[in-house]
Amino acid sequence: MSVTFVGDPAAPPLVSEAAIRDLVHTFYGRVREDELIGPVFEAEVADWDRHLANLCDFWSSVVLRTSRYQGRPLRPHLRLRLEGAHFDRWLDLFERTAAEVLPREAAPVFIDRARRIADSFEMGVAGQAGQIRAPRHMARAAAADDASRTILEG
């Protein structure tokens, strides 16, 4: 799959800041209600307005390349007791939300980046605990792409 990033001067924008805000607010609304990962976020986030603004800056920087986010996103996650199931649920919710709220051509860009982030964070958390983990989420993407290709060709 070829991905053209928004912010590339040779490409027209695929998504707006308003769409990023809609994604972030819808997604984290769902996260807060989730029985597995909701309690993790509720225990850690004291100011949701500030957190959501920070996450909008993060995704704007990742996809639009605005450089608004200047933090270190892995650091706060290292002290949490996150397991594979937490990353899987986060990614499942994110993928579903992105597919629902973003323009069709933009959702794959966000989903690709989210899978890479999930892999990076999961490996970082494992490394902090003295464990080694292989990236799982990009492999999941490849398997899904293979299945889609088989359906389309068959």
Side-chain angles (χ1 to χ4, degrees), residues 20-83:
I20 290 173
R21 185 183 188 289
D22 189 31
L23 169 67
V24 167
H25 284 251
T26 302
F27 171 63
Y28 281 96
R30 293 174 180 179
V31 163
R32 292 177 78 178
E33 294 174 0
D34 186 80
E35 64 187 35
L36 178 62
I37 62 176
V40 175
F41 281 88
E42 291 296 337
E44 292 297 317
V45 178
D47 183 346
W48 274 98
D49 290 336
R50 183 171 167 229
H51 188 62
L52 292 172
N54 197 37
L55 289 165
C56 287
D57 287 347
F58 173 79
W59 282 104
S60 177
S61 293
V62 167
V63 178
L64 297 177
R65 298 182 178 170
T66 60
S67 301
R68 285 201 329 245
Y69 181 80
Q70 298 297 316
R72 293 183 163 176
L74 177 59
R75 182 177 285 174
H77 297 83
L78 291 176
R79 71 176 184 269
L80 305 176
R81 296 174 193 249
L82 299 175
E83 300 174 2

Side-chain angles (χ1 to χ4, degrees), residues 91 111-121 123 137-138:
L91 192 56
I111 290 169
D112 175 73
R113 299 312 264 165
R115 287 172 177 165
R116 292 174 192 277
I117 290 164
D119 278 340
S120 176
F121 280 26
M123 289 186 298
H137 303 291
M138 289 308 295

Side-chain angles (χ1 to χ4, degrees), residues 98-135:
E100 289 172 12
V101 305
L102 292 174
R104 189 176 56 122
E105 63 277 4
V109 174
F110 283 80
I111 290 169
D112 175 73
R113 299 312 264 165
R115 287 172 177 165
R116 292 174 192 277
I117 290 164
D119 278 340
S120 176
F121 280 26
E122 188 170 19
M123 289 186 298
V125 168
Q128 187 77 7
Q131 302 169 350
I132 297 174
R133 293 259 162 73

